[in-house]
Amino acid sequence: MGNAKSLSGQKMCSKFLPEEQAEVDRLFDVLSSNKGGSATGTFSLEALKSHVKEALPAVMVTRLYNGMWRVKPTHKAHEGCRNVSREQFTVFLSHLLKGSFEEKGRMVMKMILAAEGPVKAREVQEFTEELVTSLVHVLTHRHELRGWTRRNSTVSPTSVQVMTAQLLSEMKFQDGHKFLGPRCLDQICDQTVIEDWVFHVPHVGIFLSVVIHRGLHLLNSCLDLSTLIPECHTDPGQQFESILDVLSVIYLNSHLAVEQRHCWRLLFSTQLHGQSFSQLCSHITHQGPCLLVLEDSDGYVFGGFASCSWEVKPQFQGDNKCFLFSIIPSMAMYMHTGYNDHFMYLNQGQQTMPNGLGMGGQHHYFGLWVAADFGKGHSKAKPTCTTYNSPQLSAQEDFQFDKMEVWGLGDLLETYSAKNKKSILDSNPTAQSLLEISGQARHSEGLREVPDDDD
């Protein structure tokens, strides 16, 4: 029974529960009995590739194998052997999937190493690009994109590069400076740098976990993708291509509250509802927290998160959970500064107040503005938006667009749904706004009748 299952080193290093370890052992037995295995209980790179098949790119399978092989065995019999032993297999997987950030960092370093000698930032960049590509590859192969398949079955190289740059932006070198693009590629990354990176950028570990669980078909029940990728809810009877691809969705979803991450509901899309500000208002009001996304005529993709239901009224609304973001040409989040409370603004049909949708800044000088004259907007920041500290999000300060979509987040709460059905004023935002400007109170939430002051 079990030529190596009783290894003291394995028992000491494994972090798996007994039932998990049993599954790991079963996979090892399959690999070691495959071609390239040996009587001493090891497996080869060819055996691992044969098992994974098309689920992962070959370059990532090789990185995984090299990471396993570089684990130092406790038994000298395995030293110098080019095959992977049960002990090496178990230690690599348990440390990468369930270890501390230091242990995960050590396993990541073993995957990055191309040869003996110091690791440079360009090697970390290559590894990260391959990791991001492998994530999308395996999710596509396993049919687990959760509905985000309509725009591109394969994510563009630009999207991979943008996500890679975002992951690397939090890396700090020995001198304390962060990764700042091409001029940093020859910087040395020692073990401490990699461990710190893995600690500060959780997506590195999460992406590796998905690659291993879904790529090796191992411990699949331990991985829940629902908080990584939201279920895409759209009208099944209509053809729809989102502005966003799955990497953009993963990035945005990671900045939302947990209860908002499991599903996104399409509320409005210019593709489906046309170039109409009145359509926009009617579809997004009283729908709870939502994300709005635009793509300008120069291909820049950006938007904002509204933490509260949109309402048509001539005052600012929202709270400090709102934020602005950029997706293309770079991924970035811009949170509130505390300077003012100009988080959200939505108005229509007024003579004295601006008509449109805005987030941050001030009237006529928004961090993000969509004019009621639909298809036009601006993103003004000299040098940054006062509310969110965001730069100019669009390619041009005054931009044009024909692609916009708004996503409701999580389940629509009964309170929002009830508000959307109670009053005729909700279907007439202009009347509602006029009522508020005139100072008339809305006494009945059920009927919202305007009281007759002459009586």
Side-chain angles (χ1 to χ4, degrees), residues 139-201:
L139 290 174
T140 303
H141 182 81
R142 300 296 189 200
H143 305 290
E144 293 195 81
L145 290 176
R146 297 172 61 80
W148 299 96
T149 58
R150 294 175 177 82
R151 186 176 193 190
N152 291 309
S153 58
T154 58
V155 172
S156 72
T158 300
S159 186
V160 170
Q161 290 165 7
V162 168
M163 174 62 89
T164 297
Q166 199 284 321
L167 295 175
L168 291 174
S169 66
E170 292 301 313
M171 175 180 283
K172 286 186 179 179
F173 300 110
Q174 293 94 328
D175 60 6
H177 289 94
K178 287 189 176 182
F179 186 95
L180 297 173
R183 64 179 180 273
C184 297
L185 291 177
D186 288 324
Q187 287 268 23
I188 301 299
C189 299
D190 62 12
Q191 186 67 53
T192 303
V193 170
I194 298 300
E195 289 174 8
D196 181 75
W197 180 52
V198 171
F199 174 74
H200 284 100
V201 188

Side-chain angles (χ1 to χ4, degrees), residues 305-374:
F305 165 67
S307 59
C308 309
S309 277
W310 286 99
E311 295 183 45
V312 177
K313 60 183 182 180
Q315 295 93 28
F316 284 98
Q317 53 194 289
D319 59 31
N320 61 16
K321 296 185 181 69
C322 297
F323 57 79
L324 293 178
F325 60 84
S326 170
I327 295 296
I328 299 293
S330 62
M331 288 182 175
M333 289 286 159
Y334 305 102
M335 306 301 181
H336 77 103
T337 62
Y339 183 83
N340 59 37
D341 60 357
H342 298 174
F343 305 113
M344 301 161 52
Y345 177 90
L346 182 63
N347 201 20
Q348 184 183 20
Q350 297 299 303
Q351 296 296 322
T352 59
M353 301 292 286
N355 293 310
L357 181 152
M359 296 190 71
Q362 56 189 325
H363 294 316
H364 310 295
Y365 207 86
F366 284 91
L368 173 59
W369 174 252
V370 175
D373 183 8
F374 205 76

Side-chain angles (χ1 to χ4, degrees), residues 41-190:
T42 63
F43 67 85
S44 65
L45 174 59
E46 289 71 24
L48 187 61
K49 286 182 176 179
S50 178
H51 172 76
V52 173
K53 296 185 173 63
E54 302 299 320
L56 289 173
V59 66
M60 181 52 63
V61 179
T62 300
R63 282 197 185 274
L64 290 171
Y65 183 85
N66 288 339
M68 298 171 190
W69 176 75
R70 289 189 174 111
V71 172
K72 189 172 178 60
T74 57
H75 286 246
K76 291 185 178 180
H78 292 301
E79 288 184 358
C81 176
R82 289 299 304 184
N83 281 10
V84 171
S85 68
R86 187 186 300 271
E87 178 192 11
Q88 291 170 308
F89 184 65
T90 298
V91 170
F92 176 80
L93 293 178
S94 67
H95 283 197
L96 199 56
L97 296 178
K98 310 194 79 170
S100 65
F101 72 87
E102 292 97 342
E103 291 167 329
K104 289 181 180 180
R106 286 197 290 272
M107 298 304 109
V108 169
M109 179 64 97
K110 294 179 188 300
M111 295 179 68
I112 294 172
L113 282 168
E116 294 303 320
V119 169
K120 292 186 176 181
R122 68 175 69 254
E123 294 172 272
V124 183
Q125 183 184 55
E126 290 170 3
F127 163 78
T128 309
E129 285 187 359
E130 291 169 11
L131 175 60
V132 173
T133 301
S134 297
L135 171 78
V136 178
H137 182 105
V138 74
L139 290 174
T140 303
H141 182 81
R142 300 296 189 200
H143 305 290
E144 293 195 81
L145 290 176
R146 297 172 61 80
W148 299 96
T149 58
R150 294 175 177 82
R151 186 176 193 190
N152 291 309
S153 58
T154 58
V155 172
S156 72
T158 300
S159 186
V160 170
Q161 290 165 7
V162 168
M163 174 62 89
T164 297
Q166 199 284 321
L167 295 175
L168 291 174
S169 66
E170 292 301 313
M171 175 180 283
K172 286 186 179 179
F173 300 110
Q174 293 94 328
D175 60 6
H177 289 94
K178 287 189 176 182
F179 186 95
L180 297 173
R183 64 179 180 273
C184 297
L185 291 177
D186 288 324
Q187 287 268 23
I188 301 299
C189 299
D190 62 12

